[in-house]
Amino acid sequence: MKVKKASQKHLNSSKKLITAKKKKKDLSKLSTEEFFEQNFDTDSDASDNDKKNNTKIKDKEQMDSDSSEDDLDPEQHKQSLMRLKDTDPEFYKYLKENDKNLLDFRVSDDEDDDSLNDSDNKHVPNENLEVASDDSDFQPEETEGDSKKKITLQLLKTWQQNIQTDNSIITIKCAVDAFHAALDSVVVLPETDSEYKVEGSATFNGVMQLCIMYLPDAFKRFLKLNPELQEVHKSKRFRKIQAVIKLYLSDLIKLLQSVTSPSILTVLLKHLRQMIPYTRSFSSLTKPLVKILIKFWSTAEETVRVTAFLNILNIATKKESVLEKLLKTMYVKYVQNAKFVSPNTLPGINFMKHSLVEIYLLDHDLSYNHAFLYIRQLAINLRNAITLKKKENFQAVYNWQYINSLRFWTEVIIKSKTKSMLRSLLYPLVQIIIGTIKVIPTAQYYPLRFHCIEMLITISKETEIFIPILPFLLEILDSYNFDKRHKAVTMKPIPLICILRMSKSQLAENGFKDSIIETVYQFILENAANESHKIYFPDVYIPCIIQLKAFLKKCHVAAYCKKIKQLLNMIEENRKHVETERSKITINLKNTAEITNWENRIKVDGTEIAKFYNSWIKIHKSQTLKLLTKNEEGTDVLKGIPKKHKLDNRNTEDSEEESEFEFRLKDTESETEKKKTKSLKVNKTKKRKKNMESKINEIEDENLPREDTDIVQDINSDDWN
């Protein structure tokens, strides 16, 4: 309407100009005598063109009345201008020569006027002529060049005050647009249509603070959300703000993909957790969002990992369609990151394992399908290793990814419900773990055996299912020669928790034998403590007692014998205790309920071996943790002291052996008896070596699998790529 009024005003001024020009032209033609004879007061009335002037006045009044109306039709306005061609040809000619814009105002393409169709008189409307919008929040400062409005701290302060009280969408749009502009200053965006620009770090931080602190509440206030309304898209006002929310969430995801600082990522992920309810309304944002969250969960710093997992858990619990892809993708990421285990990587692997277990336990039926396929893949790899006996097949089993996969499925199954479908996979999983122990039963892979035994003990304890674990521990005491003199001495013990395979140099150290005895002692003690209240304890542990006594007879290392003897005494004491309690009542073995009640009573009263284990394991765990965390400090303390010291001299070797061990052969024995005992030991060790070689088909050391093998290609997933 403003444009129409301006054109009408321009038309009136043009008419006045042409009238004045006509007067000047008429006076210039008069002579001096005629000029003085003129009657200036009645000049306009006495004109010979009264009729024409009256027509002009009528047209002028008609145009004035038309322009006074607010709803003036552009077509009528054009016809009024065209009428001048007949009513006032001179004025029309003047406009045509001096102001063609006015005549060409909103002229349609189908106009058949000859003068307008003339190629010399064609006119393109002025592109700078813009109609102001009533909906715009701010008028641009400039009409040419860069028309973006610069955001100031004062403007941000005003928005901050308005966004906390205003229930309209105006301030929300401004904040989201400013966030988009701020993102444009740090990330290359494909399209930037923001009307603002952000300059300076202070303004950037101000925009971030405004959106992170106040936008979630502003969205809630505008949508009128309440605890009962869980789905945002069901709000009546969601359509009005849908585009704004989607733009903001898209920018937030792009910002997460660009930031590397752990502190900033933590703040953004905490803010994202507040925005998760809004992401469920946009399925197109789910894939990039979950992809970046899984990346943080698997590779980022500890705090970022935890915050990212909370977001993943929030998405998985509220959006079931995402859960199936999460189960597969997160498991693949877990296996990929479980390739190397060290004191530094172990906490991250354990976090991924425990958090992934939480995801799998959200839906037992859906998780069963994935668990069945992955456990079946582990069984296939084990079968190939046993039957084919090739290096690549051994490598597919004897590596950290395989062992950590077994640990994960052990954790999933023992934490599932008793009647869950996942519990049906318990038996095949136990068979796979036992089969893994038997693939290469040499001393080099004792650490791997201990990892498998630990899983079996955990399963037996949590599910209260009997698993024959003792034979795999007693086999070590029976087959390995602990009397064998070590060739090297190490001041630092060997932490088996981060080792699968011992090297030749480690096998020659005294620390290896110490670690083996300590671990065997721990697992037999733990297993006996877990089963100390069972009614079958005296019967099951008779073979264990016999083999422990046999070990004490053949072992002459005082420290080792002391530990095993202590363990033997506790087991015998508990056996006598259970037999005494069992003899007090008559139990029908068919009545399982009565047996369970009796075992629960013994467990509540407590056994001596269980009490001892609970106090011992606390000290042992603290020592293990200290060994892992202060590994580097130990090397600094031992500077100047060689890590290994070879005992080349026979005399020094004998003197150290005699000073260290108490159960050496007495000096009173004759030389012939010493030679006989030495020859017997040599023959026994040779026989044991031959038996072991026959079990693994004479596999050479260089052909044994390494623990850094990558098997993730068997379970790779491209769902989020």
Side-chain angles (χ1 to χ4, degrees):
M1 299 310 298
K2 294 179 181 178
V3 175
K4 295 174 183 177
K5 292 179 181 179
S7 63
Q8 183 62 36
K9 189 180 294 183
H10 187 65
L11 177 63
N12 296 337
S13 61
S14 300
K15 291 189 70 175
K16 291 180 181 178
L17 183 62
I18 192 61
T19 305
K21 188 174 181 181
K22 284 173 68 179
K23 286 183 178 181
K24 290 181 180 179
K25 185 177 180 182
D26 295 337
L27 291 174
S28 63
K29 293 180 181 180
L30 297 177
S31 62
T32 305
E33 296 178 355
E34 290 174 343
F35 175 78
F36 286 106
E37 291 176 358
Q38 285 288 332
N39 186 3
F40 294 99
D41 296 334
T42 60
D43 183 60
S44 61
D45 298 332
S47 173
D48 295 335
N49 298 325
D50 290 341
K51 188 176 181 179
K52 290 183 179 181
N53 290 339
N54 292 334
T55 307
K56 292 180 185 178
I57 293 171
K58 291 181 181 179
D59 291 339
K60 181 178 179 181
E61 290 175 355
Q62 179 67 27
M63 293 175 66
D64 289 340
S65 62
D66 293 340
S67 63
S68 62
E69 297 178 1
D70 293 338
D71 55 348
L72 180 63
D73 185 49
E75 188 65 25
Q76 295 178 1
H77 186 65
K78 182 193 69 174
Q79 292 176 1
S80 299
L81 291 174
M82 293 299 102
R83 204 179 298 125
L84 290 173
K85 184 177 181 181
D86 299 326
T87 59
D88 195 349
E90 275 189 14
F91 181 61
Y92 184 85
K93 184 179 180 181
Y94 172 79
L95 291 177
K96 185 176 179 182
E97 293 174 354
N98 296 280
D99 200 349
K100 294 185 289 185
N101 291 349
L102 183 62
L103 291 178
D104 290 342
F105 173 72
R106 302 190 71 168
V107 176
S108 60
D109 294 337
D110 58 349
E111 182 65 46
D112 56 354
D113 189 279
D114 294 337
S115 62
L116 294 178
N117 288 335
D118 190 359
S119 60
D120 297 333
N121 295 329
K122 285 183 180 179
H123 175 69
V124 179
N126 189 2
E127 294 181 356
N128 293 331
L129 189 62
E130 297 180 357
V131 179
S133 174
D134 296 333
D135 297 332
S136 62
D137 301 322
F138 295 95
Q139 294 294 336
E141 291 181 344
E142 300 177 2
T143 57
E144 296 181 359
D146 188 9
S147 61
K148 293 186 177 181
K149 183 177 179 64
K150 182 178 179 181
I151 297 178
T152 62
L153 296 178
Q154 183 62 35
L155 182 59
L156 290 175
K157 188 176 181 181
T158 304
W159 286 348
Q160 181 177 334
Q161 294 173 353
N162 295 339
I163 204 171
Q164 298 181 59
T165 56
D166 190 7
N167 292 329
S168 65
I169 198 176
I170 297 176
T171 313
I172 294 177
K173 283 183 175 180
C174 294
V176 172
D177 203 5
F179 186 86
H180 187 74
L183 186 65
D184 186 30
S185 63
V186 295
V187 181
V188 178
L189 299 178
E191 294 182 1
T192 56
D193 53 356
S194 175
E195 61 176 308
Y196 302 109
K197 61 180 179 179
V198 177
E199 296 179 354
S201 59
T203 307
F204 180 88
N205 294 336
V207 173
M208 295 293 116
Q209 184 178 1
L210 173 68
C211 295
I212 291 174
M213 294 182 65
Y214 300 105
L215 267 184
D217 292 335
F219 287 143
K220 282 184 180 179
R221 195 183 308 110
F222 179 80
L223 294 172
K224 296 181 179 180
L225 298 180
N226 52 64
E228 298 178 358
L229 185 63
Q230 297 293 335
E231 298 182 3
V232 178
H233 63 272
K234 291 184 178 180
S235 174
K236 296 180 179 179
R237 310 180 74 181
F238 178 73
R239 289 188 177 181
K240 297 180 180 179
I241 201 173
Q242 181 178 1
V244 178
I245 295 178
K246 186 174 182 180
L247 174 63
Y248 179 69
L249 291 175
S250 302
D251 290 342
L252 184 59
I253 294 173
K254 292 174 184 175
L255 184 61
L256 285 170
Q257 294 171 346
S258 306
V259 175
T260 57
S261 172
S263 57
I264 298 177
L265 280 175
T266 304
V267 174
L268 292 176
L269 288 172
K270 288 181 179 178
H271 172 60
L272 177 63
R273 193 178 177 191
Q274 296 177 295
M275 300 299 298
I276 288 296
Y278 303 97
T279 61
R280 302 188 193 109
S281 304
F282 306 100
S283 57
S284 60
L285 299 178
T286 302
K287 183 175 179 179
L289 176 60
V290 173
K291 186 177 180 180
I292 189 66
L293 288 176
I294 291 178
K295 178 183 176 182
F296 292 149
W297 170 76
S298 58
T299 59
E301 187 262 342
E302 182 179 359
T303 308
V304 178
R305 280 186 168 195
V306 175
T307 316
F309 172 70
L310 293 176
N311 283 279
I312 294 174
L313 187 61
N314 202 343
I315 294 173
T317 51
K318 302 297 182 182
K319 199 166 185 178
E320 297 179 357
S321 59
V322 185
L323 182 58
E324 185 169 3
K325 289 184 178 180
L326 279 176
L327 295 177
K328 184 176 182 179
T329 310
M330 293 180 71
Y331 178 74
V332 172
K333 286 294 182 182
Y334 166 74
V335 176
Q336 287 177 345
N337 286 274
K339 185 177 180 179
F340 301 102
V341 175
S342 67
N344 295 328
T345 61
L346 186 59
I349 294 173
N350 287 335
F351 166 74
M352 293 182 68
K353 178 180 67 177
H354 295 311
S355 57
L356 185 55
V357 168
E358 296 295 327
I359 299 294
Y360 267 81
L361 294 180
L362 291 176
D363 190 335
H364 290 224
D365 296 337
L366 184 62
S367 299
Y368 171 81
N369 299 328
H370 293 270
F372 178 84
L373 293 176
Y374 292 135
I375 293 176
R376 179 176 176 270
Q377 183 63 48
L378 296 175
I380 292 173
N381 292 342
L382 178 62
R383 182 193 62 189
N384 293 336
I386 295 173
T387 56
L388 300 179
K389 293 182 172 57
K390 293 183 179 179
K391 181 180 178 180
E392 56 270 17
N393 301 122
F394 288 132
Q395 287 178 340
V397 176
Y398 274 40
N399 60 79
W400 273 119
Q401 288 178 329
Y402 193 90
I403 297 301
N404 284 321
S405 297
L406 291 177
R407 284 185 180 276
F408 169 72
W409 294 118
T410 299
E411 196 81 12
V412 170
I413 291 176
I414 64 176
K415 287 190 176 181
S416 62
K417 298 178 182 179
T418 306
K419 296 182 180 180
S420 171
M421 292 183 65
L422 289 171
R423 281 296 178 97
S424 61
L425 299 174
L426 181 61
Y427 179 78
L429 179 64
V430 171
Q431 293 300 313
I432 292 172
I433 296 173
I434 293 175
T436 304
I437 295 175
K438 295 180 178 180
V439 173
I440 307 179
T442 59
Q444 283 182 309
Y445 286 99
Y446 280 168
L448 183 141
R449 175 185 296 219
F450 291 144
H451 288 297
C452 294
I453 290 174
E454 184 181 7
M455 288 183 258
L456 294 176
I457 293 175
T458 304
I459 293 173
S460 178
K461 179 181 178 181
E462 298 296 332
T463 61
E464 296 186 354
I465 295 175
F466 175 76
I467 300 175
I469 300 170
L470 290 175
F472 304 112
L473 294 169
L474 298 173
E475 181 185 354
I476 297 174
L477 297 178
D478 182 58
S479 61
Y480 190 79
N481 182 17
F482 289 91
D483 282 342
K484 184 180 180 181
R485 295 177 180 178
H486 47 268
K487 297 180 181 180
V489 177
T490 177
M491 301 297 295
K492 189 170 62 174
I494 302 174
L496 300 181
I497 192 173
C498 297
I499 296 176
L500 286 184
R501 177 180 182 270
M502 306 297 295
S503 62
K504 287 185 176 181
S505 60
Q506 289 174 325
L507 289 174
E509 297 176 7
N510 65 324
F512 170 71
K513 293 188 292 184
D514 296 341
S515 300
I516 295 299
I517 287 292
E518 184 72 20
T519 309
V520 170
Y521 172 84
Q522 174 190 344
F523 286 148
I524 293 179
L525 178 61
E526 182 179 1
N527 192 65
N530 294 337
E531 298 180 338
S532 61
H533 63 283
K534 296 292 185 180
I535 196 171
Y536 57 75
F537 185 89
D539 307 304
V540 170
Y541 276 80
I542 288 177
C544 177
I545 293 172
I546 295 173
Q547 287 189 271
L548 290 179
K549 288 181 178 180
F551 175 81
L552 290 174
K553 288 182 179 180
K554 69 178 181 179
C555 181
H556 300 88
V557 182
Y560 302 161
C561 290
K562 183 179 180 180
K563 268 191 169 302
I564 299 301
K565 190 173 183 180
Q566 182 190 33
L567 180 62
L568 176 62
N569 292 336
M570 286 188 290
I571 292 175
E572 284 188 328
E573 183 181 352
N574 192 76
R575 180 183 67 83
K576 293 177 182 179
H577 172 69
V578 174
E579 282 183 342
T580 304
E581 295 294 329
R582 196 169 64 177
S583 63
K584 292 179 181 179
I585 59 172
T586 303
I587 300 177
N588 184 8
L589 296 180
K590 295 181 180 180
N591 191 350
T592 56
E594 185 180 357
I595 294 175
T596 303
N597 293 334
W598 183 87
E599 290 178 347
N600 291 336
R601 182 177 62 83
I602 299 296
K603 185 177 182 180
V604 171
D605 293 340
T607 58
E608 293 298 326
I609 192 171
K611 294 177 182 177
F612 175 80
Y613 172 75
N614 292 332
S615 60
W616 178 86
I617 195 63
K618 294 178 182 178
I619 302 174
H620 177 74
K621 286 183 177 179
S622 63
Q623 291 176 348
T624 306
L625 183 62
K626 186 177 180 181
L627 179 65
L628 292 175
T629 55
K630 296 186 177 181
N631 206 6
E632 296 298 329
E633 294 181 6
T635 56
D636 295 338
V637 173
L638 297 176
K639 279 184 178 179
I641 302 177
K643 181 181 177 183
K644 297 178 182 178
H645 178 64
K646 293 186 177 180
L647 305 176
D648 297 326
N649 194 344
R650 179 83 178 185
N651 296 328
T652 57
E653 182 176 330
D654 291 340
S655 62
E656 289 213 9
E657 287 290 334
E658 291 175 358
S659 61
E660 183 179 358
F661 307 127
E662 296 178 6
F663 290 87
R664 303 298 297 168
L665 294 175
K666 296 182 179 180
D667 296 334
T668 56
E669 292 181 352
S670 61
E671 290 294 325
T672 55
E673 290 177 348
K674 289 183 180 180
K675 291 180 180 179
K676 287 181 181 179
T677 54
K678 287 183 180 180
S679 62
L680 289 173
K681 289 182 180 179
V682 171
N683 292 333
K684 287 182 179 179
T685 53
K686 287 182 178 179
K687 290 181 181 179
R688 288 169 185 160
K689 287 182 179 179
K690 289 181 179 180
N691 292 334
M692 290 298 176
E693 289 174 355
S694 63
K695 288 183 179 180
I696 61 173
N697 294 330
E698 299 180 354
I699 301 174
E700 297 182 359
D701 181 69
E702 57 269 15
N703 292 330
L704 292 176
R706 308 298 177 183
E707 58 190 66
D708 58 348
T709 307
D710 192 354
I711 62 167
V712 76
Q713 63 269 12
D714 294 334
I715 54 172
N716 199 6
S717 172
D718 297 328
D719 287 346
W720 301 103
N721 295 335

